Amino acid sequence: MREAGIEPSEAPVYIPPYEYYNEQISEWSRQLGLQVVNYTPGSWTNADYTIPSMGAKYRSSEFILNQVLGYEQEHGMNGQILLIHFGTHPERTDKFYDNGLEPMILELKARGYEFVPLIQALGLE
């Protein structure tokens, strides 16, 4: 990150690749002053990377949106972390950030939710 001109204090939150972490990664992150976080399981937003050629593992934007709203009805969304990939494979023409993100935000706001930066939610600012 430093090579790109970003200091750890400017980006104190770390989601490991593939959302995989263990004690070694957690310790490495702590030493750098980073807070390891992960998305909320069950929200399905992390499936926005899937592509049609994955067959049954593919999840459309409509599916993801319905899963998020269903999750909210069952569990609520206070404190939830939604992972949305802003770079996806070209084969995925149904980009969630184009087709599902705005409807999701509008509906959750209509249900009384507020979106805040992750560093604010974690008290890191």
Side-chain angles (χ1 to χ4, degrees), residues 27-54:
E27 180 58 30
W28 166 83
S29 299
R30 275 192 291 278
Q31 289 173 3
L32 290 173
L34 303 174
Q35 173 69 50
V36 174
V37 297
N38 211 335
Y39 69 94
T40 300
S43 66
W44 285 89
T45 55
N46 63 306
D48 68 340
Y49 77 92
T50 61
I51 54 178
S53 63
M54 294 173 79

Side-chain angles (χ1 to χ4, degrees), residues 21-76:
Y21 63 96
N22 56 26
E23 186 54 40
Q24 183 180 13
I25 292 170
S26 296
E27 180 58 30
W28 166 83
S29 299
R30 275 192 291 278
Q31 289 173 3
L32 290 173
L34 303 174
Q35 173 69 50
V36 174
V37 297
N38 211 335
Y39 69 94
T40 300
S43 66
W44 285 89
T45 55
N46 63 306
D48 68 340
Y49 77 92
T50 61
I51 54 178
S53 63
M54 294 173 79
K57 293 182 180 182
Y58 172 70
R59 302 292 184 248
S60 69
S61 291
E62 181 180 10
F63 174 89
I64 295 168
L65 177 60
N66 289 333
Q67 290 299 122
V68 169
L69 299 179
Y71 183 93
E72 185 278 329
Q73 287 180 329
E74 188 172 335
H75 303 285

